[in-house]
Amino acid sequence: MTHLTPAHATRFATATLAHLGREYPYKMDLVLNGPEDAKPPREHHPIFHGSFDWHSCVHGWWQILRLARRFPDLPVAAEIRARADAMLVPDKIAGERAFLDRPMAAGFERPYGWAWLLALHAEAARHDAPWAAALEPLAAAFAARFHGFLPKLTYPLRVGTHFNIAFALLLARHWAEPRDPALAALIDARARDWFGGDRDCQAWEPGGDEFLSSALTEAHLMAAVLGADFAAWFDAFLPRAAAGHPATLFTPATVSDRSDGKIAHLDGLALSRAWCWRAIAAALGPAHPVHPVAEAAAQRHLDAALPHVTGDYMGEHWLASFALLALDGL
């Protein structure tokens, strides 16, 4: 099985540092309330105005902080720390926080960007630096939004793109367990409500622009939520997995055009599936018949996508974060 190496870390971090401050092209998540809102991205987002869009910039920061912690002697580690010292500061965080109070901003980056900001805060807290303290007000604001949103979300969002609720809950739960027990309990309750009764998943995927597996992301979340009860749930959810069915879950998708930003999502699908398969294998344990099948599927998906993490900006501005998930988890 491929594991994270200093060579991977250097490649990912070098590419990501190059686009974190690249302001254009940039896709705003913005409702214009008046002509005064028509201004450059950095005036709306003092920190997260690079990497093509807000959420990619957030998880780009998560990625480089994690790489600097995992490999503190990397040639780029000093640059990462210096950039964080300059950018992850209270006045810039206040500017990001103020954006959330704008009219029509309640749905801003829901739930994907919310979850990635919490992941960034959790990673920053693992460093001997003031970055997590600076990020705290923004993390608290998004945690509050999860508290308000999850009880009223009647049906789960099962899509394979940014709105997928299982992916968001995985990241949010990782943040909440040591910090917000009430949110962690709410996440577990909602996961059980939405997914606890799922059986014999047909896995109608991938869609043409998906970067998350609806089936496997749900299973990954349930592994975290159910603990020792996960194997029984999984055996009912994917009862033919040991035989490699549904085959689509074990087969990397074809990516026909990596310059097309939506089609390039399919490289991310391979990486997120690898992350999920590895987590599922670990949760089931080596004695379970799906364990070797899951590990083999993870490796196939890694082999399909890792060569393409860099090369075209439409993938390069975000794929390294998913490669890091696949190779090293949260």
Side-chain angles (χ1 to χ4, degrees), residues 72-140:
D73 297 325
L74 279 184
V76 296
E79 181 182 351
I80 291 170
R81 289 188 284 268
R83 183 96 60 105
D85 285 340
M87 295 295 286
L88 302 182
V89 295
D91 64 321
K92 292 183 183 295
I93 297 296
E96 295 284 351
R97 175 67 186 82
F99 187 88
L100 303 184
D101 293 329
R102 299 172 62 260
M104 305 294 289
F108 172 72
E109 289 285 351
R110 185 176 79 187
Y112 183 76
W114 299 6
W116 270 120
L117 191 285
L118 295 183
L120 171 59
H121 181 243
E123 176 57 42
R126 302 175 78 172
H127 294 253
D128 183 15
W131 311 325
L135 283 161
E136 176 71 32
L138 198 55

Side-chain angles (χ1 to χ4, degrees), residues 149-221:
F149 177 57
L150 295 181
K152 68 181 181 182
L153 184 64
T154 306
Y155 310 105
L157 298 160
R158 297 179 182 269
V159 296
T161 51
H162 306 84
F163 305 103
N164 182 283
I165 196 64
F167 179 83
L169 295 191
L170 270 167
L171 272 59
R173 189 180 188 277
H174 177 76
W175 176 88
E177 276 194 301
R179 297 174 180 85
D180 188 340
L183 180 57
L186 175 59
I187 287 169
D188 286 4
R190 296 271 58 200
R192 289 173 183 272
D193 290 345
W194 290 325
F195 306 125
D198 285 359
R199 299 290 184 269
D200 197 12
C201 176
Q202 301 303 297
W204 299 116
E205 56 178 85
D209 68 349
E210 293 183 334
F211 62 93
L212 296 169
S213 165
S214 176
L216 297 182
T217 307
E218 172 183 337
H220 190 171
L221 173 63

